[in-house]
Amino acid sequence: MATQTTDTVTIQPACNLRGSLSVPGDKSISHRYAMLAAIAEGRSSFSNFSTGADCASTLSCLRTLGCRVTHGVTVEIEGRGMKLEAPALQLDCGNSGSTMRMLAGILAGQAFESVMIGDASLSKRPMKRVIDPLTQMGANVSSQDGRPPLIINGGNLKGIDYKTPVASAQVKSAVLLAGLFADGPTSVEEPMRTRDHTEVALRAFGADIDRQQNRTTVRGGQTLAGIQAQVPGDLSSAAFFLCAAALFPNSNLVIDGLGLNPTRAVLLDVLVQMGVRTKVIQLEERHGELIGMITIEPRELRGTTIEGAVTAAVIDEIPVLAAIAPYTKEGVRIRDAKELRVKESDRLAAIATNLHAMGAKVEEFEDGLDIPGGQQLRGAEIQSYDDHRIAMAFAVAALRARSETVIHGASSARISFPEYFHLLQQLTSE
Ligand code: S3P
């Protein structure tokens, strides 16, 4: 079904998706576990750590900050306590916004200068959202007009009470991590609930955190203790398979060891609304994160509207939901998704251009898309814009197209899910 050259993958139309799989460790949780392990006392060890290049960027920055990190079957990190080592090199965050924004919070608490850089995509992404609160806390952060590189001179932080103007888990996390190094308490209030992995992980590493509705408070001066943990499977990676299975009524898919944190699992509610039955079995809790096995029973695919708090909760899954939207009965309306314009690519534009290339009708708005249902798509040449989620989402759209699709820039999948095209090939039948 999928033929791969170095950077191009050809996808043939399929007739169903069947089998069982487990997906690599959650990217968001892997970043957080690694960063907290670096500033904890003692050794941490993580199994099923994300295999994506983004989390490798985090590990590489932590090495440059003096941490001993080994990456074999498990990732082992020797914690340095709250003091990292002044970096002799620039900290290269690669394509990873999570690395730059969240690590900036820790670096704001370190009494040395660090320079954070990123690739061409990351260098265009907005950083003012972390610069503002970290500056209010007393760090000195300079940038190129609100974009990377960031030069951070940290230390001597004071706690703040901060209302995040954008719903961003990365910003919330940066402020809470800086709060660990501040004098007094630091509170973050968010306009709507975003993923809470930082809060959950902080507790797992022994920190005291207080949460009242959308407001989280951390006390400065706490110490963390290393943990041994298994990283739950990444629901945002599983999303491609769940949506691909949803395209074919005779699909049968089981995903094991999947992270089902309620702040991430909203995709399942959206799928249920779209007529797709999912069953969660063997649910257990590990270090505050829920892990379960999920099965999916597709039916006729219905349309839906994704807006408000739901948009924020499924922000990383919108590319793949948009990719299956033309095949739904009533179509999909997406709003309040302006943030997608400042992800690894302008995802709203990338989705609209690629759907048009496949012959679909789609209307683009500043903050969303209207994708009518009942459409037949043709295979096409797809551009990933070097964005992993665009490359992977359009491989899903291609499965129900009438002819073969060529995805250019497919190697961008390595950012979050290097095994993706291989697994897709194993599970689909022509
Ligand atoms: C992430 C938060 C989201 C998400 C990103 C990962 C995280 O970004 O899109 O892929 O791990 O906290 P924002 O914080 O910019 O919304």
Side-chain angles (χ1 to χ4, degrees):
M1 171 246 58
T3 337
Q4 189 158 10
T5 65
T6 343
D7 203 22
T8 297
V9 169
T10 304
I11 309 278
Q12 302 296 340
C15 62
N16 62 36
L17 209 100
R18 287 173 166 267
S20 56
L21 80 155
S22 43
V23 289
D26 188 88
K27 181 160 91 68
S28 292
I29 297 175
S30 297
H31 283 301
R32 286 156 171 87
Y33 278 178
M35 288 182 201
L36 292 181
I39 54 169
E41 310 277 348
R43 167 184 289 216
S44 291
S45 164
F46 307 117
S47 59
N48 200 39
F49 194 82
S50 165
T51 50
D54 267 8
C55 293
S57 293
T58 287
L59 294 181
S60 142
C61 289
L62 295 177
R63 284 193 190 98
T64 310
L65 290 159
C67 295
R68 276 197 36 209
V69 179
T70 52
H71 193 170
V73 179
T74 57
V75 166
E76 314 267 330
I77 300 178
E78 291 294 339
R80 295 186 51 98
M82 298 306 272
K83 283 203 172 97
L84 298 174
E85 191 175 283
L89 304 168
Q90 295 184 329
L91 300 166
D92 189 349
C93 304
N95 191 245
S96 174
S98 301
T99 306
M100 188 170 282
R101 295 196 181 119
M102 295 198 288
L103 194 55
I106 292 178
L107 295 175
Q110 304 293 318
F112 52 70
E113 178 171 290
S114 355
V115 181
M116 306 181 95
I117 58 168
D119 70 4
S121 152
L122 184 54
S123 299
K124 286 192 233 144
R125 295 184 64 187
M127 293 297 148
K128 190 169 175 304
R129 52 184 68 192
V130 287
I131 298 173
D132 284 350
L134 297 178
T135 306
Q136 280 180 33
M137 294 178 83
N140 193 316
V141 187
S142 61
S143 66
Q144 297 278 356
D145 213 10
R147 316 216 178 268
L150 298 185
I151 304 172
I152 303 182
N153 278 283
N156 285 324
L157 301 186
K158 56 177 189 301
I160 56 167
D161 203 334
Y162 192 68
K163 270 196 178 161
T164 54
V166 276
S168 161
Q170 293 173 356
V171 174
K172 169 178 65 177
S173 303
V175 179
L176 291 176
L177 292 173
L180 290 172
F181 300 89
D183 228 9
T186 294
S187 298
V188 186
E189 193 176 326
E190 40 186 358
M192 50 191 81
R193 191 137 190 231
T194 62
R195 61 191 75 190
D196 66 356
H197 303 302
T198 300
E199 298 90 307
V200 170
L202 276 166
R203 283 206 187 99
F205 280 80
D208 204 13
I209 290 271
D210 180 58
R211 168 150 212 140
Q212 310 281 340
Q213 281 150 1
N214 286 357
R215 186 183 152 89
T216 309
T217 305
V218 64
R219 240 181 329 102
Q222 305 190 52
T223 51
L224 307 178
I227 62 168
Q228 268 75 52
Q230 179 192 331
V231 181
D234 196 323
L235 188 76
S236 300
S237 298
F240 299 103
F241 295 100
L242 294 171
C243 289
L247 288 176
F248 307 102
N250 59 344
S251 292
N252 193 332
L253 186 70
V254 181
I255 307 182
D256 194 13
L258 191 59
L260 291 167
N261 176 317
T263 62
R264 288 288 293 287
V266 177
L267 169 72
L268 303 184
D269 301 331
V270 174
L271 286 175
V272 166
Q273 269 209 321
M274 294 172 81
V276 181
R277 289 242 313 240
T278 57
K279 253 193 236 146
V280 173
I281 36 185
Q282 295 177 357
L283 194 63
E284 40 180 301
E285 193 221 286
R286 290 193 209 144
H287 293 289
E289 291 286 352
L290 290 178
I291 303 192
M293 184 191 268
I294 184 168
T295 63
I296 175 165
E297 288 164 24
R299 305 263 169 94
E300 185 189 35
L301 203 49
R302 309 296 306 259
T304 192
T305 292
I306 301 169
E307 61 188 352
V310 174
T311 299
V314 298
I315 197 77
D316 290 343
E317 289 78 64
I318 285 179
V320 70
L321 287 167
I324 61 170
Y327 305 113
T328 61
K329 192 162 175 233
E330 295 88 359
V332 175
R333 180 173 173 270
I334 299 163
R335 289 293 185 279
D336 306 313
K338 214 168 155 193
E339 271 295 301
L340 287 179
R341 297 215 178 266
V342 291
K343 294 288 180 192
E344 286 83 329
S345 69
D346 176 344
R347 285 185 175 158
L348 292 178
I351 292 166
T353 306
N354 284 320
L355 282 178
H356 279 141
M358 296 182 81
K361 285 201 195 83
V362 50
E363 198 177 345
E364 186 180 342
F365 298 86
E366 189 44 34
D367 73 334
L369 299 164
D370 276 355
I371 306 167
Q375 305 195 59
Q376 278 271 346
L377 269 49
R378 59 171 180 264
E381 304 263 334
I382 295 298
Q383 302 299 334
S384 76
Y385 301 95
D386 282 331
D387 182 333
H388 54 130
R389 297 203 201 278
I390 297 297
M392 293 190 279
F394 277 87
V396 174
L399 296 176
R400 267 274 298 262
R402 277 189 306 247
S403 47
E404 77 172 29
T405 293
V406 177
I407 306 205
H408 298 284
S411 66
S412 55
R414 76 186 181 286
I415 291 299
S416 60
F417 196 178
E419 307 81 352
Y420 175 68
F421 288 107
H422 180 68
L423 282 172
L424 191 64
Q425 176 164 31
Q426 284 187 337
L427 292 166
T428 42
S429 347
E430 280 172 34

